Amino acid sequence: MRPTFTLRRSTAVSANSKVLWRLLTDFHGYEAWNEWIVKADGRFMMNEVIKLRVVLGRETWNVRQKIVAIEPGRRFAWRSWSWYRWLFTYGVRTMEVEPLPDGTSVFHDTEEIYGFLGWLVRWRYSAPIAHGMKVLAGALKRTAEAEPRGAHG
């Protein structure tokens, strides 16, 4: 099945990919740095359902996401478990860390929306989701770059 729509964001980060990976996969640490997903509870493992508190525009939502893919040190994906289900629609979020030869990284964030009423999700939520992706990338970049060079990687 092809997605109804896709949002993508890539951000260059002057930090080692291992630092980004550690920040992204330490869900309990999100409260300290993540300004979009302000709380996350769950274990980083396949098929685990993670409980998130997400700031979406002026609203704050409690949602559940199921981890559906893990490529250790590189990428993971979760599928919405509660977010749009009432619209017969779901999203798949992929976060990827790309290490570069100079020791820096690129963070890739992709949200794909699938389903019958995906157009409604696009109309209502694409701008707040895109904004949230920008906020997350900026917070990740600032936090990772603030760590001493060579820390954790």
Side-chain angles (χ1 to χ4, degrees), residues 7-77:
L7 296 169
R8 287 190 179 91
R9 178 167 208 78
S10 293
T11 305
V13 182
S14 295
N16 186 289
S17 64
K18 292 177 184 175
V19 173
L20 272 65
W21 185 253
R22 179 180 46 80
L23 290 167
L24 289 168
T25 59
D26 175 17
F27 297 136
H28 296 287
Y30 275 29
E31 288 181 63
W33 67 269
N34 195 327
E35 300 164 12
W36 186 36
I37 303 171
V38 296
K39 184 172 174 95
D41 187 34
R43 296 171 298 163
F44 183 73
M45 58 187 294
M46 276 298 292
N47 298 313
E48 180 79 358
V49 176
I50 309 301
K51 296 175 186 171
L52 306 175
R53 176 164 288 197
V54 180
V55 177
L56 195 63
R58 293 185 177 136
E59 303 172 26
T60 301
W61 288 29
N62 292 311
V63 298
R64 296 178 304 138
Q65 309 284 30
K66 182 177 181 179
I67 297 177
V68 295
I70 297 175
E71 186 180 331
R74 184 66 183 212
R75 64 180 280 280
F76 69 94

